[in-house]
Amino acid sequence: MPLISLSILFLTGIVSIATERSFIVDWDHDRFLKDGEPFQYASAGMHYFRIPAAYWNDRVYAAKTAGMTTIQTYVAWGQHEPFPGTYDFNGNLDIFKFMQVVADNDMTLILRVGPYICAEWNFGGLPPWLLGIPRMEVRSQNTAFLDRVNKWLSIFLPNLKSFLYKNGGPIIMVQVENEYGSFGCDHGYINTLHDMFKKYLGDDVVYFTTDGPGLIKCGSINTTALLTTIDFGTGGDPAGHFSALEKYQPHGPHVNSEFYTGWLDHWGHAHSTRGNARTHSRVTM
């Protein structure tokens, strides 16, 4: 039975002992290995760009005391590049400071880079100025779009290297796109994005995609180089959803990258609530 996660000492040289950190998918045993040991994470979704920087440590520490091992956050491209070629990583957008806060609390980090993130954010986190570029088609192999994505990733991703777990940082996983199966079905687009990530971060990073259980085929690519994960909420059937995942990805850990313990409100509708009992029953299955 695969491990379910919710959102290694090597002798070196002759006279010295060094610790080599690693985080990998153990495909043969359907689990993650962190420093060579089986690892199951429970992550708290926390978006740095929605929280004043002065409260980051408080929120991260609260998640840790609640039993979480990991923080996961989206990366808001549209906030970091408000105008073409103008980049902002200051104040509440200092994502590198946020990553250090996670590390200082001895937690791991899952980074959901996108470039499209959804996040119930305007234009899914994409910069609105993209729409002013002639012949632009977002979330596609459109040249104008990929050129801007590549430029952004060339600025952002190299700065993550020191924060990767293998290099002493907190980042254990990096997400490519987000719920693309709800939008399109071009595997070439996902492959192109994945290649960009590998170009700037390397091959030895755990990359993954996330989609609803019925949209896996279009949202990911069937390869061990890109872990497929799913998302569902308290109203879902975990066994049934993970069975759907296994039909597409027979081996690997079971991961729900977005377990919806709550839901958003729609303007003019009643406030959305979900009971604790149902959440507890799904988490403890």
Side-chain angles (χ1 to χ4, degrees), residues 2 10 16 36 56 60 85 92 100 111 120 122 132 134 145 217 222 226 237 250 255 262 268:
F10 293 94
S16 65
W56 286 346
V60 171
N92 295 337
Q100 188 59 53
L111 209 57
E120 284 66 54
N122 288 345
F145 179 64
K217 182 178 180 180
N222 194 5
L226 190 61
D237 169 26
V255 178

Side-chain angles (χ1 to χ4, degrees), residues 114-116 126 138-142 145-146 149 176-177 180 183 186-195:
Y116 176 87
L126 297 175
V138 301
R139 305 181 78 187
S140 74
Q141 295 193 74
N142 172 267
F145 179 64
L146 291 180
V149 170
V176 178
E177 247 280 350
Y180 176 69
F183 178 84
D186 183 358
H187 290 164
Y189 166 61
I190 299 298
N191 272 313
T192 298
L193 286 182
H194 188 209
D195 287 343

Side-chain angles (χ1 to χ4, degrees), residues 8 10 20-24 31-38:
I8 299 177
F10 293 94
E20 183 174 320
R21 291 158 57 101
S22 67
F23 184 85
I24 64 172
R31 61 189 181 181
F32 295 111
L33 293 179
K34 180 171 173 279
D35 300 335
E37 299 295 330

Side-chain angles (χ1 to χ4, degrees), residues 173-184:
M173 297 170 65
V174 176
Q175 184 177 332
V176 178
E177 247 280 350
N178 187 47
E179 296 180 329
Y180 176 69
S182 300
F183 178 84

Side-chain angles (χ1 to χ4, degrees), residues 44-65 70-76 79-80 88-107 109 111 156 163:
M46 189 177 301
H47 307 159
Y48 63 95
F49 49 89
R50 284 181 159 123
I51 305 170
Y55 297 127
W56 286 346
N57 187 71
D58 174 78
R59 301 300 189 264
V60 171
Y61 180 73
K64 181 177 181 177
T65 57
T70 306
I71 299 296
Q72 58 108 325
T73 187
Y74 290 117
V75 177
Q79 299 296 299
H80 291 297
D88 186 355
F89 296 101
N90 300 305
N92 295 337
L93 294 176
D94 189 349
I95 185 173
F96 308 111
K97 179 179 178 180
F98 179 79
M99 290 189 284
Q100 188 59 53
V101 168
V102 174
D104 290 345
N105 280 275
D106 196 27
M107 299 183 76
L109 177 66
L111 209 57
F156 178 65
F163 291 96

Side-chain angles (χ1 to χ4, degrees), residues 9 69 84 170 193 224:
L9 272 177
T69 65
L193 286 182
T224 56

Side-chain angles (χ1 to χ4, degrees), residues 183-249:
F183 178 84
C185 201
D186 183 358
H187 290 164
Y189 166 61
I190 299 298
N191 272 313
T192 298
L193 286 182
H194 188 209
D195 287 343
M196 288 183 186
F197 279 67
K198 291 186 294 182
K199 176 182 177 181
Y200 297 115
L201 282 184
D203 294 330
D204 56 345
V205 176
V206 177
Y207 299 106
F208 71 102
T209 59
T210 299
D211 284 282
L215 300 164
I216 301 170
K217 182 178 180 180
C218 285
S220 186
I221 52 178
N222 194 5
T223 172
T224 56
L226 190 61
L227 177 69
T228 299
T229 76
I230 56 176
D231 54 25
F232 57 86
T234 58
D237 169 26
H241 292 330
F242 285 125
S243 177
L245 173 63
E246 286 183 346
K247 291 178 181 178
Y248 183 78
Q249 182 178 268

